Amino acid sequence: MKARIISLTLIGLCVLSILVGILHTFIAIRSHDEETPENIEQSILWDFSAGENKIALLSLNGVISSEQPENLFSDAGSAESLQKALRKILKDSSVKGVLIKINSQGGTVGLSQEINSLLLRIRKKMPVVVTMSDLAASGGYYIACAADRIYAQPGTLTGSIGVIMQSLDAHELLTNKLGIRANTIKSGKFKDIASPYRALPPEERALLQNLINNTYNQFVNAIITGRVKRNDEYNIARAKLSESTLRKYADGRVFTGEQAKKLGFVDELGGLYEAQQAINKMAKQKFKLSAKELPLVQYNAPTGIENLLFGVTESFFGGSKDVTRELLPAGVKHSHQLLYIWE
Amino acid sequence: MSNFLDNFYGTLFHPDRTFEGLKNDPPLFQGFLLVIFVSMLASFINFQPPGGIFDFAFFSAGLFFSVITGISSWLILAFFLEIIACIFKQQGHTKVFLTLSAFSLIPWLFLAPTQLFKVWDLPGTLLGIFLGFAIWVWVIILSIKAIMKAYDASFGRVLIILLTPLIGSSITTLWMIYFFSTLIRILSN
């Protein structure tokens, strides 16, 4: 009899826990749907049943490019993963602020612009702060300028505002030294513009210069939108950048973090700690939160078991880094592409 | 029903004695119902409220698929063991093994309370993972006991029966991963 009672109790508990689990899922989804900035603190169920409020920590490392990452199993810190994470944040109502750590010399124009516009969209919903690591130049700065605040170390290298496009002129080597001639059949006279098989004629150079100028103006306008015309009410120190200063220094030169702060290209000197303090204050101000400190959650970098797994798998298969390709200048690796990059 | 409750209790707390009794008079239908119930459990644990008629249809289809997969796996394992048993001239115990292996799945039912730990964030999740692992070990031990009892096999022989295909398939899988990752690298360069 005792055995039967225990068996019935255990089965009953299992069935009951299934019902509680289903009920919990219903509550979680319902309270998540109804959540708005005004009623976060009033909802008792919210903290219990849905993801808690947090600051998303993202990182951007290396060249901004859509190229496949070296590691087959993880693309942590790449521009692609940053882009994916930003899209996810737009749908995640538990994220109350975005903190991005940038260590990049820039990269392709299209991807830099895509990330910039995603950040501007996020900025309308929540505060965005960028902290610059060793380098945040060109495309790296293009992305950073969409943030509400930029933090940099005194020795960080930033700036390099400009566009670059490179192509090889190998016609002398190929024709005179190796005796190789290219046969080109084309539909229009500019179809093989900047071809490595011949010298660049002035007409083509003017056309490409026009492209560069246009893309350069897009860069300057992005900084004007992101920083010069910036208008927020966050109670956090910010530097003022005037349009005239911007135009004067947007000639491709590189600044240290300290110089950039004086000119207004970054807001404050400091690192991840200072940036985290700032984003916390801004998030609390924006969403009227009373929590002491919002947790910082890594969004586009593997952590814990994931990191261990990816690390082990990578070392197991051996890194297949193409060393020769690593030595090439970015302009050659991304030949015929417009680049916001510091060479 | 009372007989089932006795078997339920016995499997959890006195598995050797209960499996001996089940071997002498295997209640296959009870085992069949247990397999269906355990198979449906995963669908209920991962339950998402249906947003419309299509979501409900998906959930129902998932539930049906889980049951079919559960029953198929149960039968395939029994078939596989029967083939191995044939090699060792021990065949003809399928009904006993089907019943015992179904009862050895009983600890899976405790995954239902375990899933509630997830509401307590990280510590709860870690505790849930730990308990889930303990349940998994429990089921493995009961399954080994079920095979030993059904085929009168020693522990060492059961280990050989179970581990040989596992090691073989693991080596094949690793070899395939290595081969295809190399191929992808070659093609992507």
Side-chain angles (χ1 to χ4, degrees):
Chain A
M1 190 64 189
K2 184 186 152 197
R4 288 170 195 175
I5 291 170
I6 292 174
S7 298
L8 269 178
T9 313
L10 287 173
I11 295 170
L13 277 174
C14 290
V15 172
L16 187 70
S17 57
I18 290 174
L19 293 175
V20 171
I22 291 173
L23 187 70
H24 166 259
T25 314
F26 264 113
I27 293 169
I29 289 177
R30 204 183 144 89
S31 57
H32 215 75
D33 286 347
E34 287 172 357
E35 175 250 332
T36 58
E38 288 71 31
N39 69 11
I40 286 170
E41 287 181 288
Q42 292 157 16
S43 168
I44 300 164
L45 284 171
W46 199 91
D47 280 337
F48 172 74
S49 55
E52 61 173 338
N53 292 340
K54 54 180 158 285
I55 302 292
L57 175 64
L58 303 154
S59 52
L60 171 65
N61 298 313
V63 176
I64 301 161
S65 152
S66 307
E67 267 189 13
Q68 283 204 324
E70 295 284 347
N71 185 342
L72 273 176
F73 301 93
S74 162
D75 60 348
S78 71
E80 287 279 336
S81 77
L82 175 68
Q83 198 186 5
K84 268 185 234 162
L86 290 174
R87 290 218 179 92
K88 202 170 136 194
I89 285 168
L90 274 169
K91 293 177 196 158
D92 188 345
S93 55
S94 66
V95 176
K96 301 297 171 201
V98 177
L99 177 55
I100 308 174
K101 196 176 170 197
I102 297 181
N103 190 18
S104 168
Q105 70 268 47
T108 56
V109 168
L111 195 52
S112 305
Q113 291 183 329
E114 211 166 319
I115 296 173
N116 175 286
S117 69
L118 266 173
L119 278 177
L120 288 175
R121 274 172 67 196
I122 291 174
R123 203 167 99 167
K124 285 179 190 160
K125 297 174 82 176
M126 65 187 85
V128 178
V129 171
V130 158
T131 169
M132 295 174 165
S133 191
D134 294 318
L135 181 67
S138 205
Y141 189 78
Y142 195 106
I143 289 171
C145 75
D148 290 298
R149 297 290 184 273
I150 301 177
Y151 282 73
Q153 297 291 355
T156 299
L157 289 178
T158 185
S160 186
I161 297 161
V163 197
I164 192 166
M165 184 185 191
Q166 288 180 319
S167 70
L168 284 174
D169 175 4
H171 86 280
E172 284 209 9
L173 170 76
L174 293 172
T175 316
N176 302 338
K177 307 269 185 207
L178 302 174
I180 299 170
R181 285 176 199 284
N183 290 319
T184 309
I185 296 105
K186 51 185 180 177
S187 57
K189 67 174 178 177
F190 294 118
K191 194 68 191 115
D192 66 338
I193 193 166
S195 165
Y197 302 114
R198 55 183 174 73
L200 190 67
E203 199 182 4
E204 287 185 11
R205 183 175 287 278
L207 208 68
L208 290 174
Q209 187 61 53
N210 193 25
L211 269 182
I212 295 288
N213 293 347
N214 182 265
T215 322
Y216 169 76
N217 285 333
Q218 290 169 24
F219 199 152
V220 173
N221 287 335
I223 301 174
I224 292 172
T225 311
R227 288 191 65 78
V228 178
K229 290 184 180 168
R230 178 173 49 157
N231 185 23
D232 63 62
E233 289 170 0
Y234 294 121
N235 200 12
I236 297 284
R238 72 173 178 187
K240 188 164 170 51
L241 175 68
S242 67
E243 196 172 330
S244 57
T245 311
L246 167 65
R247 292 198 183 276
K248 186 177 170 188
Y249 291 96
D251 54 3
R253 74 180 72 186
V254 182
F255 319 111
T256 63
E258 198 171 82
Q259 289 169 329
K261 159 86 176 71
K262 275 180 195 156
L263 295 169
F265 286 97
V266 305
D267 293 291
E268 278 294 314
L269 293 180
L272 192 62
Y273 174 77
E274 288 78 9
Q276 190 186 349
Q277 300 296 309
I279 189 87
N280 251 302
K281 278 186 196 167
M282 291 159 84
K284 281 194 267 180
Q285 193 185 329
K286 172 96 180 175
F287 295 102
K288 298 180 174 57
L289 299 173
S290 58
K292 264 189 177 177
E293 193 162 306
L294 294 165
L296 199 59
V297 177
Q298 288 213 324
Y299 239 73
N300 72 332
T303 53
I305 295 171
E306 203 185 359
N307 191 25
L308 189 73
L309 265 177
F310 288 146
V312 170
T313 328
E314 193 186 14
S315 59
F316 179 75
F317 290 116
S320 71
K321 246 187 179 175
D322 189 345
V323 182
T324 345
R325 193 167 158 74
E326 287 293 307
L327 293 171
L328 288 173
V332 178
K333 275 194 281 188
H334 302 273
S335 175
H336 294 72
Q337 279 191 59
L338 291 170
L339 299 172
Y340 289 143
I341 202 161
W342 179 36
E343 277 284 28
Chain B
M1 179 69 181
S2 58
N3 186 21
F4 171 75
L5 293 177
D6 287 336
N7 291 336
F8 185 94
Y9 177 85
T11 305
L12 293 176
F13 302 107
H14 308 289
D16 290 322
R17 203 169 61 198
T18 311
F19 279 5
E20 190 62 48
L22 290 172
K23 186 183 175 181
N24 296 331
D25 182 19
L28 187 59
F29 186 66
Q30 285 182 16
F32 180 70
L33 291 181
L34 257 175
V35 171
I36 292 178
F37 190 74
V38 170
S39 308
M40 286 162 68
L41 196 68
S43 295
F44 281 110
I45 287 177
N46 300 319
F47 176 79
Q48 288 293 318
I53 188 76
F54 287 111
D55 284 355
F56 185 73
F58 270 121
F59 175 72
S60 310
L63 198 62
F64 178 73
F65 187 71
S66 299
V67 172
I68 296 295
T69 316
I71 294 171
S72 311
S73 314
W74 183 48
L75 294 175
I76 288 168
L77 178 67
F79 178 68
F80 166 78
L81 281 170
E82 191 62 19
I83 291 171
I84 305 272
C86 259
I87 299 168
F88 295 104
K89 310 282 183 210
Q90 294 275 337
Q91 70 270 33
H93 301 280
T94 313
K95 189 183 173 188
V96 175
F97 176 71
L98 281 171
T99 309
L100 294 187
S101 61
F103 274 87
S104 67
L105 294 175
I106 285 176
W108 276 134
L109 300 179
F110 298 122
L111 277 182
T114 304
Q115 53 118 18
L116 292 181
F117 287 104
K118 72 184 177 190
V119 300
W120 296 326
D121 291 330
L122 190 64
T125 308
L126 287 176
L127 190 64
I129 290 170
F130 177 74
L131 286 176
F133 184 72
I135 289 168
W136 180 75
V137 171
W138 196 356
V139 170
I140 293 289
I141 291 171
L142 287 181
S143 301
I144 290 174
K145 278 180 185 290
I147 300 171
M148 284 167 69
K149 192 64 80 182
Y151 291 100
D152 289 322
S154 65
F155 181 70
R157 186 172 277 190
V158 171
L159 273 188
I160 291 169
I161 290 170
L162 293 177
L163 291 182
T164 307
L166 192 74
I167 293 168
S169 58
S170 304
I171 290 171
T172 314
T173 311
L174 275 174
W175 179 80
M176 280 176 69
I177 292 174
Y178 186 74
F179 173 78
F180 282 110
S181 65
T182 312
L183 193 68
I184 291 167
R185 277 176 206 277
I186 291 167
L187 294 176
S188 61
N189 280 332

